[in-house]
Amino acid sequence: MDLKSLGAGPEIYGAFETYAVQDLTLARVAVAQRDQYRILTEDAEWPAEASGALWYRTPDRAAMPVVGDWVAARMAGDQAVVEAVLPRRTFFSRRAPGRRDTEQPIAANIDLVFLVCGLDGDFNLRRLERYLTLAAESGAQPVVVLNKADLCRDLSASVAQTAAVARDAPVVTASTRAAPGIDALTAFLGPGRTVALLGSSGVGKSTLVNCILGEERLRTNQVRESDSRGRHTTTHRELVPLGAGGALIDTPGMRELQLWAGQDSVDRTFDEVSAIALQCRFRDCSHSGELGCAVEAAVLDQSIGAERWASYRKLAAEARRHERLTDPLAAQEAKRKLKNMHKAQKEIYKRRK
Ligand SMILES: Nc1nc2c(ncn2[C@@H]2O[C@H](COP(=O)(O)OP(=O)(O)OP(=O)(O)O)[C@@H](O)[C@H]2O)c(=O)[nH]1
Ligand SMILES: [Mg+2]
Ligand SMILES: [Zn+2]
């Protein structure tokens, strides 16, 4: 495997130097399933496990190897032992499903994410806003892919609707069966570049990967006829190197997509709201009844749409909860500011009287 074409740049080789002198080998994680890995070295693909020392040194499960990670491995016969995970450039994760407050990593060191939507019965812009928020937090660039264009009667309307939500992110259409094909996607691929495909089950992620590869490498399955939902065919994440350089990461469709992201990422996703928020009287306005709130005025005169606003509030509440959990100090500071602001507000009311 040509690691450079897989994305190993100067910063990876730089970070690897201390391990090279320990006779370790640079590798990239292609599959991380439970505690078993498959890693790609310059020569081959190897089964691998984490060393006891790595387990011991790593307090946080999210810091253990995940698909896309660059690692330093000790080669022992036909098995490899991962000794260290190199610093991650980008990191896409979500809150683990269920009630646990833990981070669930999805993929590391990805340059782009294809947020794949199916233009059949399973099209949902509110879900896209969640994906965009997680992408903003990850550091990877989002590209919205409207797949199954062959099933869509009014493609330009769907593109326009999606573009209103995608904001700065490119929106492209694709079909693995008919026009417009997948050229719009391949334009984003190239040597050194890693692209993860994310989206609900059945939108066609694995089919797109097969189509780009030009071979039936990954398993795919028909969607349920009644509601176009997928059957959760892909069960693990996998990095697939591309012949022309670069790599794709296929992922299983996610049922739940809770935020593991802060307010900044919500603000970037809803940039029309954050632009107006600059005109609120208080810099830390929470847009919930404060005096001189420009956002609430914009909601009233409908320059911020009702659905966007409801969605913003929901995600902002989740982001606040996330910040409380992951950074209690910052949360305390935010609370203190809010208190000061309410105090200032009272003063203004008093003076008015
Ligand atoms: N009509 C149409 N069907 C498509 C297109 N792309 C994929 N499909 C079909 O959609 C179904 C689901 O595709 P998959 O690739 O298995 O979906 P997935 O996103 O990988 O689903 P999970 O692995 O469950 O997350 C398959 O029957 C595909 O043939 C397309 O462009 N047009
Ligand atoms: Mg799949
Ligand atoms: Zn406000």
Side-chain angles (χ1 to χ4, degrees):
M1 202 58 50
D2 176 4
L3 293 185
K4 277 214 181 78
S5 111
L6 266 193
E11 73 287 0
I12 298 294
Y13 285 107
F16 180 67
E17 254 169 41
T18 53
Y19 303 107
V21 297
Q22 298 169 41
D23 219 21
L24 300 184
T25 302
L26 179 64
R28 192 159 194 204
V29 177
V31 177
Q33 228 182 345
R34 280 167 230 107
D35 303 327
Q36 301 287 322
Y37 312 120
R38 297 199 64 84
I39 62 173
L40 303 167
T41 66
E42 199 73 52
D43 307 317
E45 181 174 331
W46 307 84
E49 283 179 0
S51 75
L54 180 60
W55 276 113
Y56 187 76
R57 272 189 282 118
T58 312
D60 185 357
R61 270 225 77 142
M64 289 298 283
V66 55
V67 63
D69 261 326
W70 290 99
V71 297
R74 189 175 303 285
M75 309 310 288
D78 51 9
Q79 166 91 20
V81 178
V82 176
E83 297 284 354
V85 178
L86 303 189
R88 292 164 175 160
R89 199 163 38 76
T90 64
F91 191 43
F92 194 103
S93 53
R94 65 166 169 174
R95 176 178 305 283
R99 290 175 154 275
R100 282 171 307 154
D101 286 316
T102 50
E103 178 176 17
Q104 187 188 56
I106 305 295
N109 303 312
I110 47 183
D111 300 280
L112 291 169
V113 283
F114 285 167
L115 304 178
V116 187
C117 310
L119 287 173
D120 43 13
D122 203 28
F123 186 60
N124 182 334
L125 291 172
R126 305 284 83 84
R127 197 184 309 130
L128 179 59
E129 286 161 343
R130 275 180 185 273
Y131 275 112
L132 286 164
T133 307
L134 289 174
E137 184 82 11
S138 76
Q141 294 295 323
V143 175
V144 182
V145 177
L146 300 179
N147 190 34
K148 308 196 186 183
D150 55 288
L151 296 180
C152 180
R153 288 219 189 87
D154 192 348
L155 200 54
S156 55
S158 298
V159 171
Q161 257 183 6
T162 309
V165 165
R167 318 299 301 170
D168 286 341
V171 178
V172 301
T173 58
S175 170
T176 59
R177 300 202 177 166
I182 54 160
D183 288 353
L185 295 195
T186 46
F188 288 102
L189 310 176
R193 213 174 280 175
T194 304
V195 181
L197 290 92
L198 302 173
S200 304
S201 176
V203 296
K205 301 177 296 297
S206 304
T207 312
L208 284 168
V209 174
N210 287 342
C211 215
I212 291 167
L213 281 172
E215 58 175 299
E216 297 300 301
R217 158 123 182 215
L218 303 173
R219 215 158 65 80
T220 64
N221 204 343
Q222 281 175 6
V223 298
R224 206 157 64 184
E225 237 169 67
S226 54
D227 57 4
S228 310
R229 292 237 180 143
R231 297 166 198 262
H232 293 276
T233 308
T234 303
T235 52
H236 67 272
R237 299 183 281 273
E238 180 167 357
L239 182 141
V240 180
L242 295 173
L248 294 174
I249 296 179
D250 187 28
T251 67
M254 292 186 270
R255 282 174 232 262
E256 266 181 66
L257 200 63
Q258 297 188 66
L259 291 196
W260 189 265
Q263 181 66 40
D264 283 355
S265 298
V266 176
D267 284 340
R268 277 169 59 197
T269 304
F270 293 82
D271 64 354
E272 83 273 37
V273 177
S274 32
I276 292 173
L278 293 175
Q279 288 150 33
C280 291
R281 174 171 301 177
F282 299 104
R283 200 167 56 81
D284 298 301
C285 187
S286 70
H287 325 309
S288 45
E290 283 98 338
L291 205 63
C293 175
V295 170
E296 284 189 310
V299 173
L300 276 180
D301 74 17
Q302 291 177 0
S303 41
I304 294 176
E307 280 182 326
R308 283 287 277 176
W309 177 233
S311 180
Y312 170 87
R313 299 238 298 184
K314 198 165 171 207
L315 294 179
E318 261 181 67
R320 268 199 304 280
R321 176 162 175 268
H322 169 77
E323 285 177 353
R324 261 201 313 278
L325 283 165
T326 50
D327 195 351
L329 275 179
Q332 267 173 29
E333 176 70 2
K335 220 167 161 184
R336 195 182 58 75
K337 276 186 183 161
L338 204 68
K339 230 164 132 185
N340 285 344
M341 193 175 67
H342 286 304
K343 225 159 96 188
Q345 229 174 22
K346 266 192 205 147
E347 291 292 321
I348 293 173
Y349 277 123
K350 251 202 267 172
R351 257 186 277 141
R352 286 215 173 147
K353 277 185 207 152

